[in-house]
Amino acid sequence: MMKAQSMGGSFTVLEGRKERAEAIRNRLLKAEAELSEREMRHHNALLEETVRQRTCELELANARLQESLKQLQATQAQLLFADRLATIGQLAAGLGHEINNPLAFIVGNLDYVQQQLIRTGGVPTPEEKQEMIEAIADARDGAERVSLIVRDLKVLSHPNDMERGPVDVVASLRSAVKVAAYELRDRASLVEELVAVPPVNGHKARLCQVFLNLLINAAHALPPGQAVRNEIRLSTRMDGPHHVAVEVSDTGCGIPPENLERIFNPFFTTKPVGVGTGLGLSVCHGIITALGGKISVRSEVGQGTTFTVSLPVYEASAEQDSSAQEELTSRAA
């Protein structure tokens, strides 16, 4: 009987130990779970803080990049404008001559009319009256010539902006020709093959700057005093269904093969020091590329050079079409 009781007591003790061990194991598991949860919350907090810091750093970096972009755009605009003014500066003597000629013509004709009015006492004969009318008409023609030159210069001296719109490339080419006329006259005969093409998506002042640079380069490739033997040819054509091509060709000295790949690089020039900055073709390349076009060159030493500018045809958006239609309707009303 005592033995049975002893065995029952041992069993009870073993059961008690198992329960305590299970309780201890459960507490350990719970403690480990709580510890893991605290560590996870801590790591999540660290991660969130790191993300916040990185986000702030990225926002600051983005703000700095935006500011740098604005500065680069402003610098680019200044460079484009400076190159344009430098080109006009190179042509200053010729432009002065182009303006002085019609001005002298105007002054001469007005002087003649004034003298005739003084001589006749304001009562000229019919013949004298007709001569004065013709002199005034000639003076008016000269004034219109000056007005056209000034208008073309205003296009070139217009500050840069980012607005784009439909541009008539034929009109832009002719404006550039008028400005460069004095530079071209003694060097080459100008041949124009300017067929009607759709407006391109561009910026009038910048395109005029490109064409003026190409014309001056073509002129400088030809020796002065040999206009009868040499020519500069301008042509327009469609380059596929959605692009317009403009070509400026000369019969000059050509470009050596080793220079062809470098001519659009900034500051690359084969002209003597003080004659060229080496920015003209680089600026042209930048303008045409920014407008979604392409500029290329082909040349052969001793045979001449051709620059080809390809520009996308202007396509108005539906909103622009609607605005244009409303404007036409209001005008008709």
Side-chain angles (χ1 to χ4, degrees):
M1 186 69 180
M2 290 291 294
K3 187 176 180 181
Q5 290 178 350
S6 176
M7 289 179 63
S10 297
F11 180 77
T12 301
V13 170
L14 288 174
E15 285 295 325
R17 288 178 179 176
K18 286 181 180 180
E19 289 176 358
R20 286 195 298 273
E22 185 68 23
I24 292 170
R25 190 172 70 85
N26 288 336
R27 286 197 296 272
L28 288 174
L29 289 174
K30 185 177 180 181
E32 288 177 359
E34 291 176 351
L35 180 61
S36 297
E37 185 178 354
R38 284 197 299 272
E39 288 179 348
M40 185 173 66
R41 285 199 297 268
H42 177 68
H43 287 306
N44 284 340
L46 288 176
L47 182 59
E48 289 175 359
E49 180 63 25
T50 302
V51 169
R52 280 195 294 270
Q53 290 178 356
R54 294 292 184 269
T55 302
C56 290
E57 291 172 0
L58 286 173
E59 288 175 351
L60 289 173
N62 187 54
R64 287 194 293 267
L65 284 174
Q66 289 292 336
E67 183 63 27
S68 297
L69 178 60
K70 289 180 181 178
Q71 292 177 358
L72 285 173
Q73 289 173 338
T75 302
Q76 182 190 37
Q78 292 172 359
L79 176 62
L80 292 172
F81 194 51
D83 175 76
R84 199 180 309 161
L85 292 181
T87 302
I88 295 175
Q90 291 176 359
L91 299 172
L95 289 170
H97 186 79
E98 289 292 306
I99 292 174
N100 281 333
N101 277 349
L103 280 177
F105 192 61
I106 293 168
V107 171
N109 280 283
L110 292 179
D111 282 345
Y112 168 76
V113 172
Q114 183 184 38
Q115 291 168 8
Q116 286 293 88
L117 289 173
I118 293 172
R119 186 180 64 79
T120 61
V123 188
T125 64
E127 292 80 7
E128 291 169 337
K129 182 178 179 180
Q130 183 60 35
E131 288 178 357
M132 285 189 285
I133 290 173
E134 291 175 359
I136 291 173
D138 289 341
R140 180 181 174 82
D141 289 342
E144 287 179 352
R145 170 63 181 158
V146 173
S147 176
L148 289 174
I149 294 172
V150 172
R151 185 196 67 186
D152 295 326
L153 284 174
K154 283 177 67 177
V155 170
L156 275 170
S157 61
H158 192 279
N160 283 295
D161 55 55
M162 298 308 292
E163 292 182 6
R164 299 182 189 179
V167 177
D168 184 344
V169 293
V170 172
S172 293
L173 274 169
R174 286 179 173 152
S175 292
V177 167
K178 289 173 188 174
V179 176
Y182 191 75
E183 191 79 16
L184 305 178
R185 188 174 300 143
D186 189 43
R187 295 174 180 265
S189 301
L190 187 66
V191 179
E192 295 185 0
E193 298 175 342
L194 305 178
V195 301
V197 290
V200 300
N201 185 33
H203 183 285
K204 187 174 182 180
R206 292 183 181 181
L207 283 182
C208 193
Q209 178 179 359
V210 169
F211 299 146
L212 181 58
N213 275 334
L214 295 181
L215 281 168
I216 292 174
N217 276 354
H220 288 175
L222 302 166
Q226 299 184 22
V228 177
R229 295 177 53 187
N230 294 304
E231 72 174 29
I232 293 175
R233 185 177 297 269
L234 306 179
S235 64
T236 55
R237 58 179 171 80
M238 291 302 297
D239 184 19
H242 304 296
H243 286 78
V244 169
V246 177
E247 290 192 343
V248 180
S249 303
D250 64 71
T251 56
C253 57
I255 303 171
E258 62 270 17
N259 291 341
L260 274 177
E261 295 182 359
R262 304 169 60 197
I263 58 172
F264 294 117
N265 292 348
F267 304 109
F268 176 75
T269 180
T270 57
K271 296 177 182 178
V273 176
V275 176
T277 62
L279 285 174
L281 289 177
S282 173
V283 167
C284 289
H285 185 273
I287 292 173
I288 298 303
T289 302
L291 294 175
K294 296 180 181 178
I295 181 170
S296 59
V297 59
R298 60 182 188 275
S299 183
E300 187 176 343
V301 175
Q303 299 298 316
T305 302
T306 298
F307 282 91
T308 302
V309 174
S310 179
L311 292 161
V313 171
Y314 177 78
E315 295 180 0
S317 65
E319 182 179 349
Q320 290 171 319
D321 286 340
S322 176
S323 300
Q325 187 63 38
E326 289 176 3
E327 183 177 353
L328 288 173
T329 304
S330 63
R331 286 182 182 178

